Protein backbone atom coordinates (compact mmCIF):
# COMPACT_ATOMS: atom_id res chain seq x y z
CA UNK A 1 0.00 0.00 0.00
CA UNK A 2 2.83 2.45 0.90
CA UNK A 3 4.30 1.85 -2.52
CA UNK A 4 1.21 2.98 -4.40
CA UNK A 5 0.86 5.99 -2.14
CA UNK A 6 4.40 7.11 -2.92
CA UNK A 7 3.82 6.71 -6.63
CA UNK A 8 0.69 8.79 -6.37
CA UNK A 9 2.67 11.54 -4.66
CA UNK A 10 5.24 11.55 -7.42
CA UNK A 11 2.58 11.68 -10.11
CA UNK A 12 1.10 14.70 -8.43
CA UNK A 13 4.40 16.53 -8.16
CA UNK A 14 5.28 15.84 -11.79
CA UNK A 15 1.86 17.05 -12.91
CA UNK A 16 2.53 20.30 -11.06
CA UNK A 17 5.93 20.71 -12.71
CA UNK A 18 4.30 20.06 -16.04
CA UNK A 19 1.89 22.91 -15.47
CA UNK A 20 4.80 25.26 -14.84
CA UNK A 21 6.80 24.21 -17.89
CA UNK A 22 3.67 24.46 -20.03
CA UNK A 23 3.06 28.00 -18.80
CA UNK A 24 6.70 28.96 -19.41
CA UNK A 25 6.47 27.57 -22.90
CA UNK A 26 3.48 29.72 -23.66
CA UNK A 27 5.04 32.84 -22.18
CA UNK A 28 8.21 32.28 -24.18
CA UNK A 29 6.20 31.83 -27.36
CA UNK A 30 4.43 35.14 -26.86
CA UNK A 31 7.69 36.94 -26.09
CA UNK A 32 9.33 35.38 -29.10
CA UNK A 33 6.66 36.66 -31.46
CA UNK A 34 7.12 40.17 -30.11
CA UNK A 35 10.91 39.95 -30.40
CA UNK A 36 10.72 38.81 -34.02
CA UNK A 37 8.46 41.75 -34.81
CA UNK A 38 10.96 44.11 -33.24
CA UNK A 39 13.85 42.64 -35.24
CA UNK A 40 12.03 43.17 -38.52
CA UNK A 41 11.23 46.77 -37.63
CA UNK A 42 14.89 47.73 -37.17
CA UNK A 43 15.99 46.30 -40.50
CA UNK A 44 14.97 49.32 -42.59
CA UNK A 45 17.03 51.71 -40.53
CA UNK A 46 20.03 49.42 -40.38
CA UNK A 47 20.00 48.80 -44.12
CA UNK A 48 19.68 52.44 -45.01
CA UNK A 49 22.35 53.55 -42.57
CA UNK A 50 24.71 50.93 -43.92
CA UNK A 51 24.08 51.93 -47.52
CA UNK A 52 24.64 55.57 -46.72
CA UNK A 53 27.91 54.68 -45.09
CA UNK A 54 29.04 52.68 -48.11
CA UNK A 55 28.14 55.56 -50.41
CA UNK A 56 30.08 58.10 -48.42
CA UNK A 57 33.02 55.77 -47.96
CA UNK A 58 33.27 55.01 -51.67
CA UNK A 59 33.09 58.67 -52.52
CA UNK A 60 35.77 59.57 -49.97
CA UNK A 61 37.95 56.71 -51.09
CA UNK A 62 37.94 57.98 -54.64
CA UNK A 63 39.16 61.29 -53.37
CA UNK A 64 41.75 59.42 -51.34
CA UNK A 65 40.67 60.99 -48.09
CA UNK A 66 39.01 58.11 -46.30
CA UNK A 67 40.78 58.05 -42.98
CA UNK A 68 38.15 58.06 -40.30
CA UNK A 69 39.46 56.58 -37.01
CA UNK A 70 36.52 54.20 -36.74
CA UNK A 71 37.06 52.78 -40.22
CA UNK A 72 40.82 52.64 -40.52
CA UNK A 73 42.33 49.22 -39.87
CA UNK A 74 45.15 49.04 -37.39
CA UNK A 75 48.35 47.28 -38.37
CA UNK A 76 48.69 45.31 -35.19
CA UNK A 77 46.03 43.75 -33.03
CA UNK A 78 47.14 43.81 -29.43
CA UNK A 79 43.92 43.49 -27.57
CA UNK A 80 40.40 42.50 -28.53
CA UNK A 81 37.08 43.13 -26.90
CA UNK A 82 34.06 40.89 -27.25
CA UNK A 83 30.59 42.08 -26.42
CA UNK A 84 28.75 38.91 -25.49
CA UNK A 85 24.98 38.78 -25.42
CA UNK A 86 23.62 35.97 -23.26
CA UNK A 87 20.38 35.51 -21.34
CA UNK A 88 19.58 36.71 -17.83
CA UNK A 89 17.96 33.46 -16.83
CA UNK A 90 18.55 29.80 -17.50
CA UNK A 91 16.11 27.12 -18.61
CA UNK A 92 16.64 27.86 -22.26
CA UNK A 93 18.41 24.74 -23.50
CA UNK A 94 21.80 25.17 -25.11
CA UNK A 95 21.32 28.87 -25.84
CA UNK A 96 24.02 30.22 -23.53
CA UNK A 97 26.56 27.47 -23.87
CA UNK A 98 26.36 27.71 -27.67
CA UNK A 99 27.19 31.40 -27.78
CA UNK A 100 29.85 31.14 -25.08
CA UNK A 101 31.58 28.27 -26.84
CA UNK A 102 31.51 30.14 -30.10
CA UNK A 103 33.05 33.21 -28.47
CA UNK A 104 35.76 31.19 -26.74
CA UNK A 105 36.59 29.38 -29.96
CA UNK A 106 36.89 32.64 -31.86
CA UNK A 107 39.29 33.97 -29.26
CA UNK A 108 41.49 30.94 -29.69
CA UNK A 109 41.64 31.75 -33.38
CA UNK A 110 42.66 35.32 -32.74
CA UNK A 111 44.51 36.26 -29.60
CA UNK A 112 44.54 35.21 -25.98
CA UNK A 113 44.61 38.80 -24.90
CA UNK A 114 40.88 39.40 -24.96
CA UNK A 115 38.40 41.01 -22.64
CA UNK A 116 34.64 40.81 -22.39
CA UNK A 117 31.68 43.06 -21.94
CA UNK A 118 28.64 41.04 -20.96
CA UNK A 119 25.04 41.79 -21.72
CA UNK A 120 22.99 39.30 -19.72
CA UNK A 121 23.97 37.43 -16.56
CA UNK A 122 24.60 33.98 -17.96
CA UNK A 123 27.75 34.96 -19.80
CA UNK A 124 29.59 35.10 -16.49
CA UNK A 125 31.11 31.70 -17.07
CA UNK A 126 33.58 33.16 -19.59
CA UNK A 127 35.21 34.70 -16.54
CA UNK A 128 34.61 31.88 -14.08
CA UNK A 129 35.37 28.89 -16.21
CA UNK A 130 37.71 30.24 -18.83
CA UNK A 131 39.39 32.98 -16.84
CA UNK A 132 38.91 35.90 -19.18
CA UNK A 133 38.72 39.39 -17.86
CA UNK A 134 35.23 40.88 -17.72
CA UNK A 135 35.33 44.64 -18.04
CA UNK A 136 31.68 45.39 -17.56
CA UNK A 137 28.39 43.61 -17.16
CA UNK A 138 24.98 44.88 -18.11
CA UNK A 139 21.54 43.51 -17.48
CA UNK A 140 19.90 42.48 -20.72
CA UNK A 141 16.55 44.18 -21.32
CA UNK A 142 14.34 41.17 -21.99
CA UNK A 143 11.08 42.61 -23.14
CA UNK A 144 10.65 45.60 -25.38
CA UNK A 145 14.24 46.87 -25.45
CA UNK A 146 14.86 50.45 -26.52
CA UNK A 147 17.84 51.87 -28.35
CA UNK A 148 18.56 53.95 -25.26
CA UNK A 149 19.30 50.68 -23.42
CA UNK A 150 22.42 50.02 -25.46
CA UNK A 151 23.54 53.60 -26.07
CA UNK A 152 25.75 53.60 -23.00
CA UNK A 153 27.48 50.41 -24.13
CA UNK A 154 27.95 51.76 -27.65
CA UNK A 155 29.52 54.92 -26.29
CA UNK A 156 31.80 52.98 -23.99
CA UNK A 157 33.16 50.75 -26.73
CA UNK A 158 33.63 53.61 -29.18
CA UNK A 159 35.53 55.60 -26.57
CA UNK A 160 37.68 52.62 -25.64
CA UNK A 161 38.39 51.94 -29.27
CA UNK A 162 39.36 55.51 -30.05
CA UNK A 163 41.56 55.57 -26.93
CA UNK A 164 43.34 52.51 -28.40
CA UNK A 165 42.47 50.34 -25.45
CA UNK A 166 41.34 47.74 -27.96
CA UNK A 167 42.26 47.24 -31.59
CA UNK A 168 39.28 45.18 -32.57
CA UNK A 169 35.81 44.87 -31.14
CA UNK A 170 33.45 41.99 -31.80
CA UNK A 171 29.85 41.31 -31.04
CA UNK A 172 28.83 37.77 -30.09
CA UNK A 173 25.11 37.26 -30.51
CA UNK A 174 22.69 34.54 -31.49
CA UNK A 175 21.12 34.94 -34.88
CA UNK A 176 17.49 33.97 -35.12
CA UNK A 177 17.12 31.75 -38.17
CA UNK A 178 13.81 30.10 -37.28
CA UNK A 179 11.97 28.90 -34.20
CA UNK A 180 13.82 25.60 -34.54
CA UNK A 181 17.23 27.01 -35.42
CA UNK A 182 19.35 29.68 -33.80
CA UNK A 183 22.90 30.29 -34.92
CA UNK A 184 25.57 31.83 -32.67
CA UNK A 185 27.61 34.40 -34.56
CA UNK A 186 30.64 36.60 -34.05
CA UNK A 187 30.70 39.85 -35.89
CA UNK A 188 33.32 42.55 -36.07
CA UNK A 189 31.88 45.95 -35.20
CA UNK A 190 35.05 47.99 -34.91
CA UNK A 191 36.86 48.96 -37.02
CA UNK A 192 33.85 49.25 -39.31
CA UNK A 193 34.68 47.01 -42.21
CA UNK A 194 33.14 48.69 -45.22
CA UNK A 195 34.25 45.98 -47.59
CA UNK A 196 32.50 43.16 -45.78
CA UNK A 197 29.01 42.99 -47.17
CA UNK A 198 27.08 41.86 -44.15
CA UNK A 199 24.47 39.27 -44.75
CA UNK A 200 23.14 39.06 -41.25
CA UNK A 201 23.11 42.41 -39.57
CA UNK A 202 23.00 45.69 -41.33
CA UNK A 203 22.46 45.23 -45.03
CA UNK A 204 20.33 42.14 -45.09
CA UNK A 205 20.05 40.21 -48.31
CA UNK A 206 17.00 41.65 -49.96
CA UNK A 207 17.71 45.32 -49.25
CA UNK A 208 16.86 47.81 -51.94
CA UNK A 209 20.12 49.01 -53.36
CA UNK A 210 20.50 52.70 -53.80
CA UNK A 211 20.46 53.26 -57.51
CA UNK A 212 21.55 56.54 -58.92
CA UNK A 213 20.89 57.60 -62.41
CA UNK A 214 24.22 59.03 -63.44
CA UNK A 215 22.90 60.57 -66.65
CA UNK A 216 20.22 62.30 -64.68
CA UNK A 217 22.69 63.89 -62.33
CA UNK A 218 24.99 64.99 -65.08
CA UNK A 219 22.15 66.64 -66.86
CA UNK A 220 20.96 68.29 -63.71
CA UNK A 221 24.08 69.38 -61.93
CA UNK A 222 26.73 68.82 -64.52
CA UNK A 223 29.88 70.53 -63.46
CA UNK A 224 29.18 70.70 -59.79
CA UNK A 225 29.39 67.02 -59.18
CA UNK A 226 32.64 65.27 -59.87
CA UNK A 227 32.75 61.78 -61.23
CA UNK A 228 32.14 59.32 -58.41
CA UNK A 229 30.88 61.94 -56.07
CA UNK A 230 27.23 61.49 -56.74
CA UNK A 231 25.76 62.98 -53.64
CA UNK A 232 25.88 66.45 -52.30
CA UNK A 233 26.82 66.35 -48.64
CA UNK A 234 25.84 68.92 -46.09
CA UNK A 235 27.80 70.16 -44.19
CA UNK A 236 30.43 67.80 -45.71
CA UNK A 237 31.32 64.12 -46.03
CA UNK A 238 33.33 63.86 -42.85
CA UNK A 239 30.69 65.57 -40.79
CA UNK A 240 28.05 63.14 -42.04
CA UNK A 241 30.41 60.23 -41.50
CA UNK A 242 31.10 61.38 -37.96
CA UNK A 243 27.49 61.30 -37.00
CA UNK A 244 26.45 58.23 -38.95
CA UNK A 245 29.15 55.85 -37.67
CA UNK A 246 28.16 55.89 -33.99
CA UNK A 247 24.53 55.42 -35.04
CA UNK A 248 25.49 52.46 -37.13
CA UNK A 249 27.33 50.85 -34.24
CA UNK A 250 24.37 51.48 -31.96
CA UNK A 251 21.96 49.96 -34.41
CA UNK A 252 24.18 46.92 -34.88
CA UNK A 253 24.33 46.32 -31.15
CA UNK A 254 20.61 46.88 -30.93
CA UNK A 255 19.90 44.42 -33.70
CA UNK A 256 22.22 41.89 -32.12
CA UNK A 257 20.30 42.29 -28.90
CA UNK A 258 16.94 41.83 -30.60
CA UNK A 259 18.12 38.80 -32.55
CA UNK A 260 19.48 37.29 -29.33
CA UNK A 261 16.20 37.99 -27.57
CA UNK A 262 14.20 36.27 -30.27
CA UNK A 263 16.61 33.34 -30.17
CA UNK A 264 16.55 33.10 -26.40
CA UNK A 265 12.78 33.03 -26.24
CA UNK A 266 12.49 30.45 -28.97
CA UNK A 267 15.22 28.31 -27.36
CA UNK A 268 13.35 28.53 -24.08
CA UNK A 269 10.12 27.67 -25.79
CA UNK A 270 11.67 24.55 -27.32
CA UNK A 271 13.30 23.52 -24.03
CA UNK A 272 10.06 23.95 -22.12
CA UNK A 273 8.15 22.06 -24.77
CA UNK A 274 10.53 19.15 -24.35
CA UNK A 275 10.23 19.31 -20.60
CA UNK A 276 6.46 19.23 -20.83
CA UNK A 277 6.42 16.21 -23.08
CA UNK A 278 9.00 14.44 -20.90
CA UNK A 279 6.74 15.09 -17.91
CA UNK A 280 3.83 13.64 -19.86
CA UNK A 281 5.76 10.46 -20.59
CA UNK A 282 6.78 10.15 -16.98
CA UNK A 283 3.23 10.59 -15.74
CA UNK A 284 2.03 7.90 -18.15
CA UNK A 285 4.70 5.51 -16.97
CA UNK A 286 4.08 6.18 -13.31
CA UNK A 287 0.34 5.78 -13.76
CA UNK A 288 1.01 2.36 -15.21
CA UNK A 289 3.17 1.45 -12.19
CA UNK A 290 0.56 2.85 -9.87
CA UNK A 291 -2.19 0.74 -11.41
CA UNK A 292 0.02 -2.33 -11.32
CA UNK A 293 0.83 -1.75 -7.67
CA UNK A 294 -2.83 -1.22 -6.87
CA UNK A 295 -3.75 -4.39 -8.76
CA UNK A 296 -1.03 -6.34 -6.95
CA UNK A 297 -2.30 -5.10 -3.61
CA UNK A 298 -5.84 -6.16 -4.40
CA UNK A 299 -4.72 -9.53 -5.70
CA UNK A 300 -2.67 -10.28 -2.60
CA UNK A 301 -5.54 -9.21 -0.37
CA UNK A 302 -7.93 -11.53 -2.17
CA UNK A 303 -5.35 -14.32 -1.95
CA UNK A 304 -5.06 -13.76 1.79
CA UNK A 305 -8.81 -13.76 2.28
CA UNK A 306 -9.36 -16.88 0.21
CA UNK A 307 -6.47 -18.57 1.99
CA UNK A 308 -8.08 -17.69 5.33
CA UNK A 309 -11.44 -19.00 4.11
CA UNK A 310 -9.83 -22.24 2.94
CA UNK A 311 -8.38 -22.80 6.42
CA UNK A 312 -11.76 -22.21 8.06
CA UNK A 313 -13.52 -24.60 5.65
CA UNK A 314 -11.08 -27.43 6.13
CA UNK B 1 9.26 63.08 -67.25
CA UNK B 2 9.45 64.99 -64.07
CA UNK B 3 7.49 63.41 -61.26
CA UNK B 4 5.00 65.26 -59.14
CA UNK B 5 5.35 63.11 -56.06
CA UNK B 6 8.17 61.15 -54.50
CA UNK B 7 8.37 58.20 -52.14
CA UNK B 8 9.15 59.25 -48.61
CA UNK B 9 10.08 57.31 -45.50
CA UNK B 10 11.06 58.13 -41.93
CA UNK B 11 12.89 55.28 -40.22
CA UNK B 12 14.13 55.11 -36.63
CA UNK B 13 16.16 52.24 -35.20
CA UNK B 14 13.00 51.00 -33.53
CA UNK B 15 10.54 51.18 -36.40
CA UNK B 16 9.39 52.88 -39.59
CA UNK B 17 7.37 55.87 -38.47
CA UNK B 18 6.07 57.19 -41.75
CA UNK B 19 5.88 55.92 -45.32
CA UNK B 20 3.95 57.67 -48.07
CA UNK B 21 4.05 59.39 -51.45
CA UNK B 22 4.60 63.07 -50.85
CA UNK B 23 4.72 66.37 -52.73
CA UNK B 24 7.15 68.20 -50.50
CA UNK B 25 8.94 67.97 -47.18
CA UNK B 26 10.59 70.61 -45.00
CA UNK B 27 13.37 69.54 -42.65
CA UNK B 28 15.74 71.29 -40.23
CA UNK B 29 19.28 70.46 -41.38
CA UNK B 30 22.27 71.48 -39.33
CA UNK B 31 23.01 74.25 -41.80
CA UNK B 32 19.43 75.53 -41.95
CA UNK B 33 15.89 74.59 -42.86
CA UNK B 34 15.39 73.19 -46.34
CA UNK B 35 12.37 72.14 -48.37
CA UNK B 36 12.79 69.19 -50.67
CA UNK B 37 10.58 68.77 -53.73
CA UNK B 38 10.47 65.87 -56.18
CA UNK B 39 13.44 65.81 -58.61
CA UNK B 40 15.82 67.25 -56.07
CA UNK B 41 19.47 66.43 -56.68
CA UNK B 42 20.87 63.58 -54.56
CA UNK B 43 21.79 64.93 -51.16
CA UNK B 44 22.82 63.63 -47.78
CA UNK B 45 22.62 65.98 -44.85
CA UNK B 46 22.65 65.81 -41.07
CA UNK B 47 19.55 67.00 -39.25
CA UNK B 48 19.14 68.73 -35.93
CA UNK B 49 16.24 68.14 -33.55
CA UNK B 50 13.14 69.86 -34.86
CA UNK B 51 9.97 69.58 -36.84
CA UNK B 52 9.44 67.85 -40.17
CA UNK B 53 6.61 69.24 -42.26
CA UNK B 54 5.19 67.07 -44.99
CA UNK B 55 2.65 67.65 -47.73
CA UNK B 56 1.46 64.31 -49.02
CA UNK B 57 0.04 63.40 -52.43
CA UNK B 58 -3.47 64.48 -51.39
CA UNK B 59 -2.22 67.89 -50.26
CA UNK B 60 -2.67 66.85 -46.65
CA UNK B 61 -0.25 68.17 -44.10
CA UNK B 62 1.57 66.06 -41.60
CA UNK B 63 3.78 67.28 -38.76
CA UNK B 64 6.43 65.06 -37.22
CA UNK B 65 8.83 65.84 -34.41
CA UNK B 66 12.32 64.42 -34.69
CA UNK B 67 15.38 64.27 -32.44
CA UNK B 68 18.16 64.57 -34.99
CA UNK B 69 19.34 62.22 -37.72
CA UNK B 70 19.99 62.32 -41.46
CA UNK B 71 18.11 63.01 -44.62
CA UNK B 72 18.99 61.17 -47.74
CA UNK B 73 17.53 62.45 -50.99
CA UNK B 74 17.73 60.00 -53.86
CA UNK B 75 16.33 60.19 -57.33
CA UNK B 76 13.42 57.92 -56.64
CA UNK B 77 12.89 58.43 -52.93
CA UNK B 78 13.60 60.49 -49.86
CA UNK B 79 14.58 58.83 -46.62
CA UNK B 80 15.02 60.27 -43.16
CA UNK B 81 16.99 58.26 -40.64
CA UNK B 82 15.94 59.73 -37.33
CA UNK B 83 17.11 58.89 -33.82
CA UNK B 84 13.52 59.15 -32.68
CA UNK B 85 10.45 60.51 -34.42
CA UNK B 86 6.81 60.87 -33.51
CA UNK B 87 3.75 62.10 -35.36
CA UNK B 88 2.34 65.26 -33.88
CA UNK B 89 -1.16 63.86 -33.40
CA UNK B 90 0.25 61.12 -31.21
CA UNK B 91 1.98 63.50 -28.83
CA UNK B 92 0.69 64.27 -25.36
CA UNK B 93 1.17 67.90 -24.33
CA UNK B 94 1.01 67.37 -20.58
CA UNK B 95 3.75 64.78 -20.60
CA UNK B 96 6.01 66.81 -22.85
CA UNK B 97 5.71 69.86 -20.63
CA UNK B 98 6.48 67.77 -17.60
CA UNK B 99 9.53 66.24 -19.24
CA UNK B 100 10.66 69.65 -20.41
CA UNK B 101 10.49 71.22 -16.94
CA UNK B 102 12.32 68.24 -15.51
CA UNK B 103 15.07 68.56 -18.10
CA UNK B 104 15.35 72.30 -17.47
CA UNK B 105 15.68 71.74 -13.74
CA UNK B 106 18.36 69.16 -14.25
CA UNK B 107 20.22 71.45 -16.61
CA UNK B 108 20.32 74.08 -13.87
CA UNK B 109 21.71 71.62 -11.35
CA UNK B 110 24.57 70.32 -13.42
CA UNK B 111 27.88 72.06 -12.97
CA UNK B 112 29.65 73.12 -16.15
CA UNK B 113 32.40 70.60 -15.49
CA UNK B 114 30.18 67.65 -16.22
CA UNK B 115 30.17 68.00 -19.98
CA UNK B 116 28.75 64.61 -20.85
CA UNK B 117 25.71 64.92 -18.66
CA UNK B 118 25.21 68.47 -19.78
CA UNK B 119 25.19 67.37 -23.41
CA UNK B 120 22.72 64.59 -22.62
CA UNK B 121 20.33 66.91 -20.86
CA UNK B 122 20.63 69.49 -23.62
CA UNK B 123 19.78 66.84 -26.18
CA UNK B 124 16.80 65.77 -24.09
CA UNK B 125 15.65 69.37 -23.85
CA UNK B 126 16.01 69.89 -27.60
CA UNK B 127 13.92 66.81 -28.16
CA UNK B 128 11.12 68.02 -25.90
CA UNK B 129 11.24 71.46 -27.52
CA UNK B 130 10.90 69.85 -30.94
CA UNK B 131 7.93 67.86 -29.71
CA UNK B 132 6.25 70.94 -28.31
CA UNK B 133 6.88 72.88 -31.49
CA UNK B 134 5.45 70.04 -33.55
CA UNK B 135 2.35 69.99 -31.40
CA UNK B 136 1.79 73.75 -31.69
CA UNK B 137 2.20 73.63 -35.43
CA UNK B 138 -0.19 70.74 -35.69
CA UNK B 139 -2.84 72.60 -33.67
CA UNK B 140 -2.48 75.73 -35.79
CA UNK B 141 -2.92 73.65 -38.88
CA UNK B 142 -6.09 72.00 -37.66
CA UNK B 143 -7.67 75.29 -36.66
Amino acid sequence: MTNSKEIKKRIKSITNTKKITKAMEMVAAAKMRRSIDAVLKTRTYANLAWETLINIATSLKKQGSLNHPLIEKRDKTNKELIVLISSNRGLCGGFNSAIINKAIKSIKLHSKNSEFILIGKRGESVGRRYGYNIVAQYEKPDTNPKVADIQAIAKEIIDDYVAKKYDKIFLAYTDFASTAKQVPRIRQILPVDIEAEDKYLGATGKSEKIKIDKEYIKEKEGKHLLEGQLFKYEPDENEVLNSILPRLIEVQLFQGLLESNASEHSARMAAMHQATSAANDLVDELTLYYNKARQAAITSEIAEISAGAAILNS
Amino acid sequence: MSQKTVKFEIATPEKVVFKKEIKQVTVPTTSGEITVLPNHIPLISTLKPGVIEIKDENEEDEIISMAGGFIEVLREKIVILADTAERAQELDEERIKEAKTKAEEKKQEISDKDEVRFANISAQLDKEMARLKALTKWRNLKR
Side-chain angles (χ1 to χ4, degrees), chain A residues 41-42 44-45 48 52 146-147 208 210-211 213 216-217 220-221 231-235 240 243-244 247, chain B residues 9 11-16 39 41-46 70 72-77 79 81-83:
Chain A
K41 277 180 184 160
T42 62
T44 318
Y45 186 96
L48 289 168
T52 310
K146 293 259 177 294
V147 184
E208 315 157 58
I210 295 179
K211 276 176 254 122
D213 192 339
Y216 168 78
I217 293 161
K220 195 119 190 168
E221 270 285 292
F231 282 96
K232 247 182 100 173
Y233 295 94
E234 272 175 16
V240 177
S243 45
I244 208 165
R247 293 280 164 283
Chain B
E9 214 174 309
T12 70
E14 275 152 32
K15 63 179 178 194
V16 175
N39 301 306
I41 61 155
L43 164 85
I44 294 177
S45 175
T46 51
F70 313 88
E72 197 166 349
V73 182
L74 307 167
R75 171 137 163 63
E76 70 276 27
K77 67 175 177 183
V79 185
L81 301 177
D83 298 349

Side-chain angles (χ1 to χ4, degrees), chain A residues 98-112:
Chain A
I99 187 67
I100 289 168
N101 284 341
K102 178 94 182 176
I104 297 291
K105 233 186 244 166
S106 90
I107 292 174
K108 280 183 183 147
L109 290 177
H110 297 114
S111 74
K112 289 243 158 75

Side-chain angles (χ1 to χ4, degrees), chain A residues 85-89 118-122 136-142 149-150 153 257:
Chain A
I85 306 181
S86 61
S87 72
N88 287 333
R89 265 169 244 162
L118 301 180
I119 304 177
K121 283 184 197 146
R122 291 278 153 162
Q137 190 175 356
Y138 297 89
E139 179 109 347
K140 180 167 75 74
D142 273 331
D149 295 332
I150 48 89
I153 307 169
L257 175 68

Side-chain angles (χ1 to χ4, degrees), chain B:
Chain B
M1 92 155 240
S2 80
Q3 316 143 267
K4 288 206 174 103
T5 62
V6 62
K7 269 187 221 146
F8 178 68
E9 214 174 309
I10 298 179
T12 70
E14 275 152 32
K15 63 179 178 194
V16 175
V17 180
F18 187 89
K19 197 175 181 179
K20 236 180 195 176
E21 286 275 326
I22 58 148
K23 280 195 171 148
Q24 70 169 64
V25 57
T26 306
V27 291
T29 73
T30 37
S31 30
E33 197 165 83
I34 60 166
T35 297
V36 181
L37 300 168
N39 301 306
H40 195 281
I41 61 155
L43 164 85
I44 294 177
S45 175
T46 51
L47 301 177
K48 58 184 179 189
V51 178
I52 304 171
E53 288 172 60
I54 302 159
K55 203 176 269 295
D56 75 4
E57 51 185 338
N58 309 319
E59 293 281 329
E60 288 208 20
D61 289 300
E62 182 92 40
I63 305 285
I64 288 169
S65 85
M66 175 236 2
F70 313 88
I71 184 168
E72 197 166 349
V73 182
L74 307 167
R75 171 137 163 63
E76 70 276 27
K77 67 175 177 183
I78 301 170
V79 185
I80 288 180
L81 301 177
D83 298 349
T84 64
E86 296 116 325
R87 301 167 81 139
Q89 64 258 53
E90 286 160 13
L91 292 170
D92 175 3
E93 189 175 6
E94 286 306 307
R95 269 173 57 194
I96 300 166
K97 281 196 171 146
E98 213 173 278
K100 197 184 145 207
T101 3
K102 238 183 227 165
E104 272 165 351
E105 276 167 17
K106 269 192 198 157
K107 202 174 174 179
Q108 294 288 328
E109 281 170 25
I110 295 167
S111 63
D112 15 64
K113 277 175 200 156
D114 200 346
E115 274 175 44
V116 178
R117 270 189 68 198
F118 190 78
N120 281 344
I121 292 291
S122 295
Q124 178 73 27
L125 203 57
D126 283 346
K127 193 165 138 189
E128 300 303 341
M129 297 277 255
R131 282 180 172 156
L132 217 53
K133 209 168 139 196
L135 207 59
T136 326
K137 272 202 174 148
W138 177 248
R139 292 232 175 98
N140 287 342
L141 252 166
K142 290 285 126 184
R143 210 164 277 158

Side-chain angles (χ1 to χ4, degrees), chain A residues 69 72-77 161-167 191:
Chain A
E72 217 168 12
K73 280 184 196 131
R74 293 186 184 156
D75 300 334
K76 235 172 51 193
T77 309
Y161 182 77
V162 172
K164 305 226 160 122
K165 196 173 162 196
Y166 306 107
D167 299 306

